[in-house]
Amino acid sequence: MKLVVEECQRYAKMRAHTATHLLHTELAKIFKTTKQAGSLVDEDYLRFDFNADRLLSPEEIHDIEKNINQIIYDSYGVEVNEMSLDEATKTWAKAFFEDKYGDKVRVVRVFNHDNEIVSIELCGGTHVVNTKDIWCFTIVSQEAVASWVKRIVAVTGPKVAARLHEVQEILDVTVEKLWIKTATQLADKLDKTLKEYDDMKANLESLETTMIKNILWWSDFSSWKDFDKIFLVPVELNFKNVAFQAKWMFKGQNIFIYTKEWGFVLIADKGTSAKALAEKLGIKWWGTDAAVQGRDEKVLTLFK
Ligand SMILES: [Zn+2]
């Protein structure tokens, strides 16, 4: 039993390894001068790092998957040979290979049915004998691990079906939560929901502004020394908007607005600097000559 498991694991790694070679070839078509920057091959799982200044577009990912799966379905032979480096590089750009190798190299090649090389690598690993043995290939993710190094994670064999199942589950949950029938309605539903959200946000903001104006207009205020109007407003209000509205509603006046949680804004519109007024009150502030704000426990006792 143990032997069977080990054999399965070996095949799973072989599938991932041959697929890594095919991926490398596809990437080299897109990024002409790319170099492999690291690679990890596990059971039906591969991670491939390569040099590139940008990530792949969704179309490029789609094309890579399509091309590799086509090679799998076309059942191309995989050959492993020992030969001289010269012989190996005769048929393929030398830049594709890593820099240092001995005289004799182990070459892994994939041939199409016209006996043309589809993929060639100097490699000591074990491989499937025919591309059809990879079964299937799909890219799971891509990311930038450094500015010049991009990483692709992909799966092969039975893990492709598992991945499909995973994606399907995510879609099913999303479809259910959005109250639609099928995933094909997702884009439309999202557009609609986002528009509703924007409308609601705009409505809320406008309502809030009206409410703030009303509160400022109708609420009791006191006057004290340099200040024409002093307001104690509820903490729940958008304080930034409160200050903005007050500035326009009470032009030419000095206003002090605060909450019971010590937040305050001081607007000066009578020629005196807001900074100077705040200094006079002895509260911690930041801002400009026109208006300062801050948080200071002292605001609760200032006007008593
Ligand atoms: Zn290899």
Side-chain angles (χ1 to χ4, degrees), residues 17 21 123 127:
H17 197 158
H21 286 200
C123 170
H127 288 268

Side-chain angles (χ1 to χ4, degrees), residues 116-130:
E116 292 158 346
I117 294 172
V118 173
S119 150
I120 178 168
E121 297 248 6
L122 308 187
C123 170
T126 46
H127 288 268
V128 294
V129 292
N130 190 292

Side-chain angles (χ1 to χ4, degrees), residues 4-19:
V4 177
V5 173
E6 276 172 13
E7 192 76 339
C8 284
Q9 290 169 339
R10 208 166 66 87
Y11 276 110
K13 278 190 182 172
M14 277 155 52
R15 283 194 289 268
H17 197 158
T18 309

